[in-house]
């Protein structure tokens, strides 16, 4: 070993400090799991075809409906969000069908990829990932489809890669204005229980979600809500499927609702999560997300004043309440920022995805989150960025505190 290597390492490579106190999880999924949910899951398994579990899960299927604001059917899968994507497509479409997937970011791209693997033909409305989907562009794309070859419009509500939320109600309006009969499917994985989604009122035919984001649960459960038109499409769909098939899951025998053993512990946790949301109310959860997200935005806006960092979302009104995506200067790699935050300040932030890989980091603020958690995260991230020598505008944390010092109000 050379003398040089034997020298004391520079400050930044000194071993990370002892792991004491809370670890802050500010990735945009999985999110923090509240103690109440962990405790509810800490119990022995049940006979999944016995009366206790059947009564519990029957009630869960009912109680998920108001979370989606639908009277339709809700299906529960032992799967992650990708499973929900496949369930939505395979139940309603047939190989060779065309679908319209407006480009919101990495998640619309991945859903479209999956659709292609299932032999669907993807038409897109391109975007630069920095703005919400323009309903007029969707309307134009549908008007061009005079023969109604497009069978479904797949829309990601909040794209977790870009930190942008699109206006689902306006997109429904665009489909109606074009007089197009395509099904309207919404990926609400990052929006369920974080921002309003009115499935029936907004005429959404299929809405999908997963357990590990706004629902505060461990990963492993996927939810697919289907309205009447979607169930009609299911009857005509020829895409091969078994595990995902709604037909089996609508059978009388309860055990068929899960196509095998139910993910019981996720159901125990889900019971607690729904109870917690009902105590807070959905509107309360939306307002909390809006308030905390605004604290993040006010802080980040101050940081950006020095010109090194930028919001990915150009339009402030389109910035998501679930996650904030921050662009880094070209000479700084995401992993350097993530490692500094994680190893020295005990806060995990997300990296950039797809086109933004290596170019952005993301602060997740959805799920079980409150003021001290968000302030702790922002303070730690600011310290990490300063330590890396990032030029930052002053006053970020103060701006967040200032915003939170006012009575609760949504933007
Ligand atoms: C997290 C996420 C997904 C993917 O979910 P997985 O559980 O990782 O499969 C899809 N869409 C959106 C909008 C997401 O936030």
């Amino acid at each position: 070993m050379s003398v040089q290597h034997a020298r004391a390492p520079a400050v930044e490579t000194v071993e990370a400090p002892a792991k004491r106190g809370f670890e802050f999880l500010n990735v945009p999924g999985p999110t923090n799991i509240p103690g109440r949910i962990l405790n509810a899951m800490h119990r022995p398994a049940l006979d999944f075809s016995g009366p206790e579990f059947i009564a519990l899960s029957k009630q869960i299927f009912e109680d998920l409906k108001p979370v989606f604001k639908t009277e339709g059917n809700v299906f529960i899968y032992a799967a992650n969000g990708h499973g929900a994507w496949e369930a939505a497509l395979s139940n309603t479409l047939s190989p060779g069908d065309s679908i319209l997937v407006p480009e919101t970011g990495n998640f619309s791209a991945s859903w479209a990829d999956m659709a292609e693997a299932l032999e669907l033909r993807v038409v897109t409305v391109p975007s630069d990932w920095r703005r919400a989907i323009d309903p007029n562009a969707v309307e134009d794309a549908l008007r061009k489809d005079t023969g109604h070859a497009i069978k479904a419009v797949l829309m990601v509500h909040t794209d977790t890669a870009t930190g942008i939320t699109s206006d689902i109600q306006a997109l429904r309006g665009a489909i109606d204005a074009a007089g197009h009969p395509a099904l309207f499917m919404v990926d609400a994985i990052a929006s369920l229980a974080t921002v309003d989604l009115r499935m029936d009122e907004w005429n959404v035919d299929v809405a999908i979600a997963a357990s590990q984001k706004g629902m505060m649960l461990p990963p492993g459960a996927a939810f697919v809500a289907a309205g009447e038109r979607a169930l009609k499409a299911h009857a005509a769909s020829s895409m091969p499927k078994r595990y995902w098939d709604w037909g089996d899951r609508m059978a009388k025998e309860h055990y068929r609702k899960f196509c095998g053993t139910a993910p019981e512990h996720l159901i125990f946790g889900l019971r607690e999560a729904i109870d917690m949301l009902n105590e807070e109310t959905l509107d309360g959860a939306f307002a909390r997300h809006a308030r905390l997200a605004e604290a993040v935005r006010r802080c980040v806006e101050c940081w950006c004043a020095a010109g090194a960092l930028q919001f990915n979302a150009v339009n402030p009104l389109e910035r998501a309440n679930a996650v904030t995506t921050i662009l880094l200067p070209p000479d700084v790699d995401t992993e350097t920022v993530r490692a500094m935050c994680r190893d020295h300040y005990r806060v995990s932030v997300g990296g950039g995805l797809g086109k933004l890989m290596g170019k952005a980091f993301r602060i997740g603020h959805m799920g079980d989150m409150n003021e001290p958690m968000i302030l702790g995260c922002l303070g730690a991230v600011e310290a990490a960025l300063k330590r890396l020598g990032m030029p930052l505008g002053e006053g970020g944390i103060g701006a967040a505190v200032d915003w939170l010092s006012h009575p609760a109000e949504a933007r």
Side-chain angles (χ1 to χ4, degrees), residues 187-314:
D187 170 345
I189 296 177
S191 49
L192 194 75
T194 75
V195 72
D196 202 9
L197 174 71
R198 304 180 188 185
M199 184 169 159
D200 288 0
E201 192 183 317
W202 297 347
N203 242 323
V204 172
D205 297 300
V206 179
I208 63 169
S211 51
Q212 79 278 18
K213 310 250 170 138
M215 296 302 284
M216 310 174 285
L217 290 160
F223 315 119
V224 179
E228 236 167 78
R229 290 183 70 232
L231 293 177
K232 272 204 192 113
H234 168 262
S237 151
S238 70
M239 182 129 10
K241 57 202 164 269
R242 173 54 68 84
Y243 179 73
W244 308 118
D245 199 339
W246 293 343
D248 284 345
R249 287 164 185 265
M250 286 189 291
K252 266 218 188 80
E253 303 89 340
H254 194 78
Y255 72 92
R256 292 177 67 188
K257 294 199 180 308
F258 293 99
C259 193
T261 308
E264 292 187 339
H265 287 76
L266 283 159
I267 302 295
F268 300 150
L270 182 54
R271 174 72 271 154
E272 193 68 21
I274 293 174
D275 290 347
M276 288 170 74
L277 282 175
N278 288 341
E279 286 163 24
E280 183 177 19
T281 75
L282 278 177
D283 285 344
F286 302 152
R288 176 172 52 84
H289 279 88
R291 189 166 77 251
L292 297 177
E294 182 63 20
V296 174
R297 290 188 285 260
R298 288 189 177 218
C299 177
V300 173
E301 198 163 357
C302 291
W303 292 348
C304 291
L309 300 178
Q310 279 183 68
F311 282 100
N312 179 58
V314 177

Side-chain angles (χ1 to χ4, degrees), residues 28 80-82 85 107 156 158-160 187 189-190 210 212-213:
N80 60 15
H82 282 67
W85 278 347
F107 288 95
V156 178
T158 294
D159 197 299
T160 321
D187 170 345
I189 296 177
Q212 79 278 18
K213 310 250 170 138

Side-chain angles (χ1 to χ4, degrees), residues 28 104 107 129-133 156-167 187-196 213 285-298 300 311-326 361-367 369 374 378 403 410-411:
T104 57
F107 288 95
W129 293 25
R130 298 201 64 183
R131 290 175 187 282
I133 292 297
V156 178
H157 190 185
T158 294
D159 197 299
T160 321
T162 60
I164 293 173
T165 299
S166 290
D167 184 341
D187 170 345
I189 296 177
S191 49
L192 194 75
T194 75
V195 72
D196 202 9
K213 310 250 170 138
F286 302 152
R288 176 172 52 84
H289 279 88
R291 189 166 77 251
L292 297 177
E294 182 63 20
V296 174
R297 290 188 285 260
R298 288 189 177 218
V300 173
F311 282 100
N312 179 58
V314 177
N315 181 348
L317 295 176
E318 297 171 353
R319 290 174 190 157
N321 287 340
V323 55
T324 297
T325 302
I326 301 159
F361 73 101
R362 297 176 297 150
I363 298 177
H365 32 83
M366 72 182 126
M369 194 67 69
I374 223 58
L378 293 171
W403 166 254
R411 71 175 178 205

Side-chain angles (χ1 to χ4, degrees), residues 329-352:
D331 59 335
V332 178
D333 185 73
T334 303
E335 285 314 306
T336 313
V337 173
R338 267 161 55 78
M340 179 59 79
C341 289
R342 184 184 60 233
D343 299 339
H344 291 273
Y345 296 94
R346 315 293 294 138
V347 56
S348 289
V349 296

